[in-house]
Amino acid sequence: MSAVLLIAIPILAAFISIIVKKWSPYMLLFVSFGLVILLGYLPFEIITIGGFSAPYGISLVVDNYSYTALYVVNVLFFLVAIINVCNYKKLGTILLVSLAGLNGLMLTGDLFNLFVFLEISGISAYIITTTNKKPLATFNYLVAGTVGSILYLLGLIILYNMFGTLNMQDMAVRIAASGATDIEVALPFLLMFIGIGVEAKLLPFNSWVKGILGHSNKLTGPMIAGVYAAASLFVFGRLLTEVFVISDTFMLIISVILAFSILAGEAMAYSSTKVREILLFSSIAQAGIAVLIFVSGFTGYAVLFISLNGFSKVVLFLIINHATEVVGSDEVIDLKGLFVNNKLVGASFTATVLSLLGLPLFAGFFVKMGILSQLFSSGDYVFPAIILLSSVVEGVYFVKLLTKLWYKEDNLPQVKFELPLVYLVVVISLLLVVFGLYFEPLHEQALVLVNHVKGVIL
Amino acid sequence: MKNFLSLVLVLALGGMIILSLQNNQYFTAYGEVDITKRVSESYIDRDVNGGTQAVEFGVANNLESGPANIVTAIVADYRSFDTLGEVTVLFVSSLGVALLLASGKQKRLDLHFHPNFMLRVGSRALFGIILMTGIFVIVHGHLTPGGGFPGGTMIASSILLLYLADDNFRTKVKSFKTLESIAGSLYVIIGLVGLFAFDYFLVNFLDNGILGELFSAGIVPIVYALIGLKVGSEISGIIDNFLTEEVA
Amino acid sequence: MLLYAAIILMMLGLYGILTQRNIIKIIISLNILEIGLNIFIISIGFVNGGVAPIFTGQNNLGSIGFVDPLPQALVLTAIVIGVGTTALGLALAKKIYAKYGTFEIDDMKGAE
Amino acid sequence: MASLEFLVIIALLGGVLAYLVGKLSKVVGASLTVLVSGFIFVSVAYFGLNGSLDASITYLPFVSFEATDLYLGTSFGILVTFIFFMVSFFNPYFVDKFKYPSLYSMFYLFSLAGVLGVFFTDDFLVLFFFFELVVWTSLFLIPLGKSKKAASWYYGFSAFGSFSLLFAIFVMRNTAGSFNINDGLSMVGGSDQILVFILLMVAAFAKLGAFPLHIWLPKVLGNSPDPVTSVFSGGLEKLGAFVAVMGLVKLAPVGPVIEAIDMALGQYLIAILGALTIVFGTLMAIRQDDAKKLIAYSSMSNGGYILVALTLLNDTSVSGALYHVLIHALASTAAFLAIGAVNRQTGTTKMSELGGMIHKMPVTYIVYLIAIISMAGIPPMGGFVSKWLIFQSVINEGMILIAIATFFGSIGSFLYVFRPLAALFLGQELPEFRKVIKEAPFFMLLPMIILSGLNIFTGVHPSVILQYINNVLAELGVTELGITTWTLSGNNGDLYPALIAVVFGVGVVIAFIIFIVLKKSRKVDLMDTYTAGNFVYTEELLHYSVDFYAPIERLYEKHINIMKDFYKGIAKKVQEFGSFVKYFFFTNKPEITVLWVVIVLGILLLWGDLL
Amino acid sequence: MIISILMGISVAFFGFVLQTSIAGVNRKIIGRVQKRYGPKWYQEFLDIFKLLSKRSVTHGWIFDFGVIMALGGIIATAMFMPITNDLMAFPGFDNFFIFVYLIAVGMLGMAMSASGSGNPLASIGVMRALTTMLAYEIPFMIIVLTIIKLTGHSSLSEIAMFQQTAVAGLEFSGTWFMIALPVGFAVAFLSLMGMLGKKPFETYIAPAEIASGPMVEYGGKQLGMLFIMHEITVFIEVSLFVHLFLGGAENIWIFLIKYFLVYTSVNLISNVNGRFKIDQVVVFFYKWPLLFAVMQAFVAIYLGWVI
């Protein structure tokens, strides 16, 4: 039961499924469920492909970090797939391939292989977003994504030229051995940082996000904002902790960009009147926070933050996209009073929002406390101030949204949420509440991840 | 004004990258690359897993990785996972194009360009030659430069030739799809067999034979052939999608 | 010198993306960017006086000044990825043309 | 031997139970809140007073309580749970008008659980956990009333407050090494101490609704349903007072000492802000037309009193402040409940639409009268004692500007408390209310009567409670107030409250004898009045309630919502910044991303001095 | 305890009798000033007893209860008032704030019954009374703050003793505050006129505008009781002023003289004045009086320049 199956099986299923077109959605469900089960039996090890040892052949790394990442991505993928399988039958194969690509992203230990999987998941993402019926927005996404991956490849090749290897760990070892000052190493890492930054929705590079998520539907919304966002942030984390060596001048600049992107994201969300825009801008801000935590070096809580964020975004986008499809527009005025008739969905939406805000009795509270305590213990006061200020603004516009969605007297929007969506949404929000109350497992997971030091795989 | 601004920006960026690469003492200049400091040195000497046999054309028997063409060795053996990813990328994009353009019943696009006599006859003759060279390139992938990808595109170009030659020529798209899927799944199955039988995914479990022989380098030629067929059918599928339009 | 040519080509591609308003031209400049990158990758592996990394009848002894084979393998993959994205871009261009009737981004009505 | 953790669990489970029961029948669900809050109050009061609350933790993870010799927390805890218990009597009568009745009772009990947690813990993180719990549970109570926007104002300010508290907590943890409250507050020093002081004050100001951060108070208290308003002003504001005590008394004074009035600069600034709160609250209260908003502004200005008293740090002022917290809680809750009773009968609290309630609701009138006497600080009631203590310390410190504000506040309070009395209860009885109105039901009157009884008791015999407050002073390290069984001694004079009450009684008896001895006068109805010739038929014309204090209101009419526009301006700025960034970064042109990539790359390379 | 209460009642009664007779005498003096004889000195007593014997009208129980509470409150305040150094009902407990706030109870009772009477003129009168109170109270309290800060006691008898005998330790003791704080004395005198409702600040009685304000609905015994209340209030305020600024009294005669002088001077000044409009009253007290009060307080407390 080696982790390669996580990639091989979906690809195999994808290849087979183009013959038997009508079964492809059911194959998708079966494979993705199978992978979630398979995840239970994965040993922590380095898997060499083709029998060639690490720096020469390609190696897949299964450690705590990638295990959590895999778990989050696969479970989220499976949930989104169940909801959307019935009305996006044609995309069965594409989704299989994107599953393989995402798993590859999480597992791979080789930089060039990361580029290939980045491309696979990227292209399948472009195709998924074509269902938004907005070809220009998808075109923007394609151009941005391709430019991003080109920059990543350029940075990668420069690194290869300087240190002669492609394996992440070997690269880290060689950089340390060569004693290259972090100024000299800055150019390639900068290119790779920006390359991944485009995909991870960091502010200056994410003008494609508004087009895609602004007009998303029940599949693209949760997929891009939930699954892909979590995956790209995990990749970001993997690179930042494993390979990158960031000099303090760049740390300053990057943190200025991140701080700007957090505050600007919240301000944009505050100023937008469309519900989906509010959600997408707040997810931009949260992406900024996640990368901020990675840059400050706390992988443990960053992973928890990303996974919680991923789950919450899937819930939020599912509900809002379904309502927008029925009502026709996602303006807050048109969706006013949405939860008056469907209280269960409203309750889980509210619970998820409160967990995003980091209020007690919800899992978000514990993660936020963890992040802040680590940021403070490292002695810096600026980032926590920014995070807290942004969560105040975030709180205000979410409360404004909630009061609008819950309270309206006459001609309420006639929206019926079908059972699987309701069931999924309730289960996730219940999870958030349960982990909010009983957060021992989260604590252990965070501690285990914290000592995931560079080079120590297991 | 915007163009001028972006020109200045781009030039400045280019200049900065070039200058920074020059000043960087670790960035070896063009041409003075010392292979020994790089990973690829052991690809050339085939001693990744400690193989001690000196690599000599026509003499070395059952080397660590068989193909004479080192690039093919890297592509299909050392880093064959990349190639698998590679194939999926092409597979996904062709599928995407098909999804975008060919949603219903398709018929040939009536272009205002009609092939004249010269093209029709010439392409009939050329079709066979291009096809043959394509297949040759695929089969000798492990000995001579080329391999699955270039060979596949040659096959596709021969099919493109047929498209240009005759207005209502349409390949049986269905058959290409099945060929593509069989080739792809065979490739993955070989990998899985390697995993289950020889506990490494995509391991070269056949014996590598003598360097430079036609029948050497274990599964590499088989894998390359499959890739060639797959790439050929995918690209011709893409051509077909672009040259057809929906039946109104 | 190939190195600088490659970077200049890439900058040209970037300039093309920045200034062109036509979808097809953007795709073309994207391709130029990719080609520039591929040349850059190849130039990384060149060794003065190196020989193509294939064992043949004449140069059959190991390490007699082969050119670095790894970038060539990488460029093979990069080219195919370039093909993939360009094919998808063109398909999208066809879709955009079907929807808006033009390739010029500026006069696409209702694109917001 | 009630354990705190057991009480918190009861509150939480009670909330869930109330929700489920509420689904069946609203009223039963709401009356469940009465039982639960009653039980909690009784156990907290009984066990808290004889100091036998045990703080062992068995189920709740992460939470740690502390009950032994925690007089400050116990006194606040008893007070706030008492207010919750009294107000919960109103729930069954008001719950049928809400859109989500069962949710109401659940969140009511959740906020009670939160309040319990805040007062009885010695660990900052647990304090913040319950603090936030109170914030968001009470947040959902507000929209049940009239305005929906009030909730976002409330969350904005209290989130700002609680996050600055969180920031202060972590700053203290850096020096103290652990989240313990006492060593956190004592060990922080130097520039960190100033930062912590400022942040704690921001949190206290946001929760108390003091001057710079008070915009939400009238909006929320004015518009939310009546039980929620009373809980807010009586109970939840005391969280702010609790944090203020931590910030001003437990934390060492901050900033250079001004020798003229030997007070630290930090304390003096807070005193100035407290004075501004008093003046601003009084001015705004005088001109309100809605009775609930008026009492909301009055609780704002009383918050100012508490702040001023806490900054003076001598025995009379701190005991005056703590006593004022108690008095204000009792008086404003009683006033809000009385107005709530009127609101339930008539459906409106606008003074211009009401009048002559006394004829049909005399008991409510008496309760309201006693409440406003206490709020205005008039002798027989408790307000006089706490105001006297505060005046003693203000005069003793000789701070003229602060004294002006406190005097203005106390005289002004006499003005604005009288306005609802005259407009709501006295004056002509409007015809449409004559037939339909009847006295509030017994179970609504019960809490009001208990509260007014307590108002009188705290005024006549304060030393019982002041004795307990002295323990709190000892715990806070402030010199204790000199009190004997009946008299209290301030800095420059003694007070014998019981004597004043007795003498007042004697005076009334004498007046009554004079009244009875003389001839009985003929009963005449209200319409038969001397109107200098022009006879008037309709009651409305004879009822003077609109623009009651017109001469004063005209003085500052133009600039009453300076602060509101200031905060609206901030919201506008954030909005503009958002759309500005949106315009720059998010157009649907593909080259925008690439442009920014190139720019950022260029800047970074240029700056990274790679040349 | 009982003896001191009886003592208090007698003080209150003495206050009433004193004030009514001095009011009568003042009416004669004012008459003389206006070139007429003026009524007999006991005219005030006659008016009160006439009213008490008349039968009048009541507007409900709050109307009566308010009057009773008003008179009761004022009597209670008067009971605390010290006459001379040793002649007082409750030694040691005659705190300044008790007077300020117990008068408020009287005012509240009267205001309650006035509004309860249902006559808008009464409510307007009450409103004006409260507004003027807001105006004159602040400067007065500032000056009293200075006095309490200087003397260290807030009970009236101690303040009076402080001014009479020069004690070695305290540098300001021995001089009347009228001389020690001249500006303060002037401001307090203005506030006293506001308190007594004398001419320039007589907005809340204002017979021309609102038909004697709060008193409009009263007659018979209610009006009589209110007259008694008015007299005792005047007694309290004037004797408060005497104790604070003129150094109290060693014996009863000095107290009477000082009392007479203060009351007549207030009456004489008010006689020649017109009446402020209600807006002017509020603004007037917040301009110069408050400024001077604060200046006086600042100078006295922080710089210690006391004559």
Side-chain angles (χ1 to χ4, degrees), chain D residues 540-588:
Chain D
E540 284 77 17
L541 293 182
L542 272 180
H543 186 51
Y544 176 65
S545 63
V546 177
D547 276 352
F548 201 83
Y549 291 106
I552 303 178
E553 287 166 29
R554 275 198 290 270
L555 292 181
Y556 56 93
E557 213 142 26
K558 286 178 290 309
H559 26 71
I560 40 167
N561 34 30
I562 313 159
M563 286 313 291
K564 197 185 288 183
D565 301 344
F566 171 68
Y567 284 106
K568 283 213 166 72
I570 292 179
K572 200 104 212 51
K573 286 285 168 301
V574 170
Q575 197 125 12
E576 273 149 27
F577 173 62
S579 31
F580 170 77
V581 171
K582 216 185 273 187
Y583 169 74
F584 253 98
F585 284 100
F586 289 95
T587 60
N588 64 348

Side-chain angles (χ1 to χ4, degrees), chain B residues 41-99:
Chain B
E41 198 246 353
S42 52
Y43 291 144
I44 297 169
D45 305 341
R46 303 293 164 89
D47 55 8
V48 168
N49 287 352
T52 55
Q53 201 180 51
V55 180
E56 204 198 338
F57 187 74
V59 168
N61 184 350
N62 204 350
L63 279 169
E64 187 184 56
S65 123
N69 175 352
I70 308 170
V71 175
T72 314
I74 295 174
V75 164
D77 202 354
Y78 283 114
R79 298 181 63 90
S80 55
F81 203 55
D82 277 354
T83 323
L84 178 66
E86 205 23 61
V87 162
T88 12
V89 164
L90 210 55
F91 167 76
V92 162
S93 41
S94 81
L95 198 64
V97 168
L99 247 169

Side-chain angles (χ1 to χ4, degrees), chain A residues 4 15 18-19 48 50-51 56 58 90 97 110 112-113 117 120 123 160-162 164-165 174 178 184 187, chain B residues 20 24-28 37 39-40 42-43 49 77-79 81-82 89 91-92 95 99 181 184 200-201:
Chain A
V4 180
F15 289 155
I18 55 168
I19 308 169
T48 54
Y56 306 101
I58 295 170
K90 302 212 298 309
V97 171
D110 181 281
F112 187 77
N113 200 292
F117 280 118
I120 295 175
I123 291 179
Y160 173 71
N161 186 323
M162 290 156 80
T165 171
R174 286 192 184 205
S178 72
E184 278 144 351
L187 176 65
Chain B
S20 66
N24 194 331
Q25 44 153 326
Y26 293 94
F27 190 80
T28 53
K37 285 221 286 305
V39 165
S40 37
S42 52
Y43 291 144
N49 287 352
D77 202 354
Y78 283 114
R79 298 181 63 90
F81 203 55
D82 277 354
V89 164
F91 167 76
V92 162
L95 198 64
L99 247 169
S181 114
Y200 288 114
F201 186 67

Side-chain angles (χ1 to χ4, degrees), chain D residues 63-82:
Chain D
V63 172
S64 82
F65 286 115
E66 165 59 46
T68 51
D69 69 50
L70 192 71
Y71 289 107
L72 181 67
T74 334
S75 54
F76 269 88
I78 296 171
L79 170 66
V80 175
T81 33
F82 173 69

Side-chain angles (χ1 to χ4, degrees), chain A residues 222-281:
Chain A
M223 189 58 87
I224 302 293
V227 180
Y228 271 80
S232 51
L233 283 173
F234 279 126
V235 165
F236 219 105
R238 165 77 73 190
L239 281 176
L240 275 174
T241 45
E242 289 284 310
V243 178
F244 276 15
V245 168
I246 300 181
S247 75
D248 44 17
T249 49
F250 283 115
M251 180 67 98
L252 176 70
I253 307 160
I254 290 167
S255 42
V256 162
I257 294 176
L258 289 177
F260 176 73
S261 89
I262 294 170
L263 291 177
E266 302 295 0
M268 284 187 278
Y270 183 79
S271 71
S272 45
T273 57
K274 292 193 169 69
V275 183
R276 279 189 297 201
E277 263 181 34
I278 294 177
L279 293 181
L280 74 90
F281 286 128

Side-chain angles (χ1 to χ4, degrees), chain D residues 505-568:
Chain D
V506 162
V508 166
V509 160
I510 295 168
F512 185 71
I513 294 164
I514 297 172
F515 186 81
I516 286 296
V517 156
L518 301 171
K519 281 202 262 318
K520 229 168 114 22
S521 42
R522 182 166 55 84
K523 175 87 171 59
V524 162
D525 83 4
L526 286 171
M527 277 307 291
D528 172 7
T529 55
Y530 167 79
T531 48
N534 49 9
F535 199 72
V536 172
Y537 296 97
T538 52
E539 277 83 358
E540 284 77 17
L541 293 182
L542 272 180
H543 186 51
Y544 176 65
S545 63
V546 177
D547 276 352
F548 201 83
Y549 291 106
I552 303 178
E553 287 166 29
R554 275 198 290 270
L555 292 181
Y556 56 93
E557 213 142 26
K558 286 178 290 309
H559 26 71
I560 40 167
N561 34 30
I562 313 159
M563 286 313 291
K564 197 185 288 183
D565 301 344
F566 171 68
Y567 284 106
K568 283 213 166 72

